[in-house]
Structures are given as structure tokens and as C-alpha cells.
Amino acid sequence: MTELAQDPRTTQTTGTTELTVRVANRRDEADGVFTLELTALDGGELPGWAAGAHIDVEAGPAGVRQYSLCGDPAERDRWRIAVLHQPGGRGGSAYLHRAATPGSELRVSVPRNNFELVTAPEYVFVAGGIGITPILPMITAARAAGARWRLFYGGRTRAHMAFADRLAAHPEVTLLPQDSDGLLPLARILDSAGAAAVYCCGPEPLLDAVEKECAARGCTVHIERFTPRTVTAAPNRAFEVRLAGSGGVYRVGERRSIADVLIAAGIDVITSCREGTCGTCETAVVSGEIDHRDSVLTAAERERGDTMMLCVSRARSEVLVLDL
């Protein structure tokens, strides 16, 4: 990705690079789902991105939330995100539903991508509800590359499925509202996937089910989570962190994260979500055994043991040596 010049309005807050954007347009896309079109304050270009990217959005008292970019990467003057309004949720969508109106300003991060679209001759996309958002630009990219693709898109009802009418025009798309068709037939979908690259985004039960079905078939699935996965972890224990660059040694107690300890010591650690979903604090590990508790890394990446998320993951060994 081309490195862009620093915007003079970009600041560093809590270690996360942010910029201010304006809500240029807002549109209802389905029951409970609305899109926000975001533009630069001066009307100029925004940082570039590719299919699968997301941005962090400050959502008032609810803190920072991650939203997939679902527009066209070629449109450098605007970003588009879709928000599922959940009045009984964690507060982020309720804040945006109330405050993000045309003309208002939001603090956001530059795009990051933990869900990159690999080059493949064929793709199978599985989306549930608001999980359709990162899939939209993936479909555009797959079509532009001449790759074969299929989408299986489920939702509570057709009325709750954003962009359904637009997607229904493609013969490669199968819409499966739960009230009329039941749950997505994952076994049948994945049995027919063959060697296709499988991408899935949606609610946690869907992601868990797809992971299990793919594990049973020995196929790789690419997944993005915006809420923490359920982790069965051993009780926290204290351990040491050593920094390979400076040689500094820091004790991480049972009640503190590595990120908290290092930031308190003045170490430049970038964080955002603080729950292991955004990938901002990913750090290379030189040695030591990691207790992975994030929702970003794949099973293969965890097995390699050469990177970790400092906000939630811990050490199984007495000492972890970080590439800092």
C-alpha cells in the first residue's frame, strides 16, 4: 500500500492514528441497518484501502468500534460503512444512530486489513446479517479479476438483509432469509466449495459453525470478527516481558495486560479496541510460549507463535521476548 503524507489534522490519541471525517450522507439500507458516507473535511482524497479493510470509529462514551469499508476502493474521495443499530448492544451503534447525521464529524482511524482477499481462481463467500459489509468489495474485486465466485447470504428476514435487492440481480448470489429458508446450510455449501477460497463474516454462532465445518473438511476459511470470540483460558498468572531492542524487563501481573504495563512504562505501544479484535497491537514475538486470546489470528498463525496481540494475549512461559 502506498504511504500517504500525514494529514495536518491527524493526531495521536491513546496511541491510535486518527483523522476527522465528515458524514456526507446517511441512508437506510434495511431494517435496523444504515450506511454512512464519510468524506475528508477539505473534500480531498482519503487514505486508500482494499477489500476486507476496516476503520476504527470513535463512538462517544461507548469507545472505539470497528466497521468494514463497504464502498468502492477506487472512490478515493469517500468511504462507506454500514452500521447495525442495536439498541440493546454495547452502545456504539446507538451512539452513531443518534449522532452520525449529515454534516456531523467523526474521529476515525486509517484503514487496516486483517481480512485480506487472497488471489484465487474461485471464492465462496458466506455472510450473515451485517457481515455482508466486507464481502461487497470482495465481490467487486473477484469480478474484476475474472474469478469465479458464489455468495450465500443469510439474515433474520429479507427486510433485515442490507443490499439484498442489489445482490439479488447476480445469479451467483443465494439469499436465504431465516424466516423462510432456515439457517444457512453450511454443510452443503462447504461440501460444494471444493478448492475455493472461503470467506465468512457474520454473528459469532455462524463463524463458530463455519470454522468447525471447515476444520472437519480440512479446508481453510478466512474469518473476521468484530466482537471477541469465546476463549477458554487458564487463570491469569504473572510473567516477565523482555524487549529485544532495549533490553528492558517488565513484570506483567495477573490483573494487567502486556499493553497496559508497557504503556505505563512509556513504551510506544499502539492500541485501539483493547479486546483482541482489531489487530492494532499485533507485535512480533522473538521467543516464549504465547497464550493466544485474540480474535484475529488464524489457527496456523497461533501455531507459529511469532506474533501476538498485546491487549489480551498472555504468556504460558515464564518469559516472553518481544521484538520491541
Side-chain angles (χ1 to χ4, degrees):
M1 181 182 293
T2 302
E3 184 174 349
L4 299 174
Q6 183 81 356
D7 188 304
R9 290 166 306 219
T10 299
T11 59
Q12 294 287 332
T13 60
T14 64
T16 303
T17 300
E18 296 182 336
L19 63 152
T20 302
V21 295
R22 178 173 289 114
V23 178
N25 191 28
R26 171 169 166 162
R27 174 178 171 175
D28 290 333
E29 302 289 352
D31 286 356
V33 178
F34 60 94
T35 52
L36 299 175
E37 185 176 282
L38 309 175
T39 59
L41 294 185
D42 62 4
E45 288 191 347
L46 291 165
W49 60 283
H54 71 269
I55 57 172
D56 297 344
V57 179
E58 285 191 7
V64 174
R65 295 291 183 266
Q66 289 77 46
Y67 292 96
S68 295
L69 292 169
C70 60
D72 184 350
E75 295 179 340
R76 293 295 302 275
D77 62 337
R78 69 196 66 194
W79 290 338
R80 188 173 292 108
I81 61 174
V83 180
L84 172 62
H85 182 208
Q86 297 177 294
R90 297 182 296 165
S93 67
Y95 172 84
L96 293 175
H97 185 265
R98 179 176 67 255
T101 56
S104 63
E105 296 179 0
L106 294 174
R107 299 288 290 171
V108 302
S109 73
V110 296
R112 288 195 299 276
N113 204 333
N114 303 319
F115 198 40
E116 293 181 2
L117 188 67
V118 300
T119 300
E122 184 176 2
Y123 300 92
V124 169
F125 300 115
V126 181
I130 198 64
I132 190 61
T133 51
I135 303 299
L136 294 178
M138 290 184 175
I139 290 173
T140 300
R143 294 178 67 197
R148 298 183 302 277
W149 63 275
R150 289 173 291 157
L151 167 65
F152 299 89
Y153 177 20
R156 190 167 12 140
T157 69
R158 174 69 179 258
H160 288 88
M161 297 168 66
F163 317 109
D165 291 342
R166 186 174 86 186
L167 289 166
H170 298 285
E172 300 92 344
V173 174
T174 302
L175 300 178
L176 296 164
Q178 185 176 341
D179 63 336
S180 60
D181 296 276
L183 297 175
L184 288 169
L186 297 180
R188 189 172 78 235
I189 292 170
L190 296 172
D191 281 342
S192 66
V198 179
Y199 279 78
C200 179
C201 190
E204 188 61 28
L206 172 64
L207 302 183
D208 283 344
V210 168
E211 283 185 320
K212 290 175 182 175
E213 292 285 351
C214 284
R217 290 162 175 76
C219 62
T220 300
V221 60
H222 304 267
I223 279 177
E224 177 148 72
R225 286 179 165 88
F226 287 124
T227 56
R229 66 187 177 95
T230 301
V231 177
T232 302
N236 287 356
R237 47 184 290 279
F239 56 94
E240 280 188 356
V241 166
R242 297 180 185 174
L243 307 188
S246 67
V249 180
Y250 304 90
R251 189 71 173 170
V252 180
E254 298 175 2
R255 297 177 180 270
R256 303 189 74 190
S257 70
I258 298 174
D260 288 337
V261 169
L262 296 184
I263 290 171
I267 308 301
D268 186 19
V269 173
I270 301 175
T271 65
S272 179
C273 71
R274 292 301 187 100
E275 58 185 15
T277 58
C278 73
T280 305
C281 65
E282 183 173 1
T283 300
V285 177
V286 177
S287 64
E289 188 178 356
I290 307 165
D291 179 5
H292 290 291
R293 302 184 182 185
D294 67 276
S295 303
V296 177
L297 298 177
T298 65
E301 289 168 334
R302 295 190 188 103
E303 184 66 25
R304 286 203 303 269
D306 57 4
T307 187
M308 70 183 299
M309 305 301 159
L310 301 186
C311 66
V312 292
S313 295
R314 303 182 65 81
R316 297 187 187 277
S317 53
E318 295 297 324
V319 179
L320 273 180
V321 181
L322 303 179
D323 188 15
L324 289 175

